[in-house]
């Protein structure tokens, strides 16, 4: 069984198309999406339509929740609340009511039996929250407490932080997918994960895929995205917005 896991597309359809083309080359058996489909990208509708056309399992991310009901106090720094809700409103205006209904009903986690030996637990940020931030450098104890809570799982995959990594803790594997649309690790390439399982053996690989960064940067301007210059810089530098 070989599965591709993608997440944090953030309305970047150009990067998503590049990743889907790369996935096709790997001849995977199936694809799953771990959230954050539309918000903060220049092509939210196209990105969402591409995801829905895959007819694959999709879970909800914090940005999907924001698109449905808005960004609330305490979820982002106070000085950014109005700005992020303005971005959210622009995103909603690009979508249809059925798109919002689709995002609202998404589940928040999946459990997978890849075979008789390997059990996989997937979620967006943590099993308990769409918003908590758990970074790669945290102690093994903290990672186990926040992310590796399903004792019968062998492998745990999550998204949200836009920083891809793989760690082995207590005989089990924990990995972050990074981001298809908005990588934050200084490398302007889309990121996703492939899990290749064969009986009691498995391999987890982080795949990096180039996409037309300058095209996406210009789309923010051409499509009238609010705070377009800020997002152009995010895409070009592969760093979080300041």
């Amino acid at each position: 069984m070989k599965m591709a896991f993608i997440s944090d597309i953030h309305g970047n359809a150009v990067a998503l198309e590049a990743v889907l083309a790369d996935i096709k080359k790997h001849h995977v058996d199936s694809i799953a999406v771990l959230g954050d489909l539309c918000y903060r990208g220049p092509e939210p509708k196209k990105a969402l339509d591409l995801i829905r056309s895959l007819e694959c399992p999709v879970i909800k991310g914090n940005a999907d929740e924001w698109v449905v009901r808005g960004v609330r106090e305490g979820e982002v720094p106070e000085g950014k609340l109005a700005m992020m809700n303005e971005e959210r409103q622009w995103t909603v205006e690009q979508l249809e009511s059925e798109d919002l209904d689709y995002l609202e009903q998404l589940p928040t986690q999946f459990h997978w039996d890849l075979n008789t030996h390997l059990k996989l637990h997937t979620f967006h940020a943590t099993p308990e929250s769409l918003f908590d931030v758990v970074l790669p450098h945290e102690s093994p104890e903290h990672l186990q407490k926040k992310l590796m809570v399903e004792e019968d799982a062998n492998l745990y995959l999550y998204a949200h932080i836009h920083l891809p990594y793989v760690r082995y803790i207590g005989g089990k594997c924990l990995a972050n997918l990074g981001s298809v649309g908005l990588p934050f690790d200084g490398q302007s390439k889309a990121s996703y994960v492939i899990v290749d399982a064969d009986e009691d053996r498995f391999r987890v690989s982080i795949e990096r895929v180039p996409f037309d960064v300058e095209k996406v940067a210009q789309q923010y301007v051409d499509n009238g995205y609010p705070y377009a210059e800020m997002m152009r810089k995010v895409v070009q530098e592969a760093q979080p917005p300041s």
Side-chain angles (χ1 to χ4, degrees):
M1 166 75 78
K2 182 186 288 189
M3 290 190 69
F5 294 87
I6 66 176
S7 72
D8 295 273
I9 295 94
H10 288 286
N12 186 343
V14 171
L16 177 58
E17 288 177 326
V19 164
L20 293 177
D22 192 73
I23 287 173
K24 188 174 182 179
K25 296 176 184 177
H26 287 277
H27 304 290
V28 304
D29 298 298
S30 58
I31 300 173
V33 185
L34 303 193
D36 282 7
L37 312 183
C38 308
Y39 178 70
R40 275 204 156 165
E43 295 189 290
K45 175 63 174 173
K46 183 175 181 180
L48 180 57
D49 287 348
L50 281 170
I51 291 295
R52 295 185 68 176
S53 72
L54 298 174
E55 298 184 344
C56 70
V58 181
I59 64 176
K60 183 186 289 185
N62 63 296
D64 307 311
E65 182 76 356
W66 284 340
V67 170
V68 171
R69 50 81 159 165
V71 186
R72 296 174 180 171
E73 290 186 8
E75 294 175 345
V76 298
E78 185 175 345
K80 296 185 177 181
L81 182 61
M83 176 189 75
M84 294 182 70
N85 269 315
E86 187 176 346
E87 294 177 88
R88 178 260 177 184
Q89 182 60 36
W90 182 89
T91 302
V92 170
E93 290 171 357
Q94 315 308 309
L95 303 176
E96 300 174 4
S97 59
E98 68 168 323
D99 297 325
L100 300 180
D101 292 340
Y102 172 81
L103 295 175
E104 184 174 20
Q105 59 80 38
L106 290 174
T108 58
Q109 55 186 296
F110 278 128
H111 297 81
W112 311 82
D113 290 332
L114 295 183
N115 56 40
T116 57
H117 302 278
L118 181 61
K119 296 182 181 295
L120 171 62
H121 188 199
T122 63
F123 40 88
H124 181 71
T126 76
E128 304 299 327
S129 170
L130 295 177
F131 301 95
D132 286 352
V133 174
V134 182
L135 296 173
H137 63 265
E138 302 284 1
S139 69
E141 293 76 17
H142 184 76
L143 294 173
Q144 287 175 314
K145 180 180 179 181
K146 295 293 291 185
L147 302 174
M148 304 170 73
V149 297
E150 295 285 345
E151 293 185 359
D152 63 341
N154 314 92
L155 173 60
Y156 308 82
L157 298 181
Y158 76 114
H160 190 49
I161 61 173
H162 299 212
L163 298 170
Y165 74 92
V166 180
R167 286 183 68 173
Y168 293 87
I169 300 170
K172 299 184 177 185
C173 182
L174 169 68
N176 188 277
L177 277 55
S179 173
V180 168
L182 293 175
F184 286 171
D185 62 351
Q187 185 176 178
S188 298
K189 294 181 179 180
S191 175
Y192 74 98
V193 159
I194 289 178
V195 176
D196 191 358
D198 181 16
E199 296 299 328
D200 60 348
R201 302 173 61 182
F202 67 89
R203 183 172 70 92
V204 178
S205 62
I206 295 171
E207 308 294 331
R208 302 306 294 260
V209 183
F211 64 93
D212 192 338
V213 173
E214 292 307 317
K215 179 179 180 179
V216 177
Q218 189 60 39
Q219 284 178 336
Y220 281 103
V221 177
D222 294 343
N223 295 349
Y225 191 87
Y227 308 98
E229 289 304 318
M230 176 187 74
M231 294 309 300
R232 280 169 59 96
K233 185 177 180 181
V234 171
V235 171
Q236 290 168 334
E237 299 182 1
Q239 295 289 344
S242 55

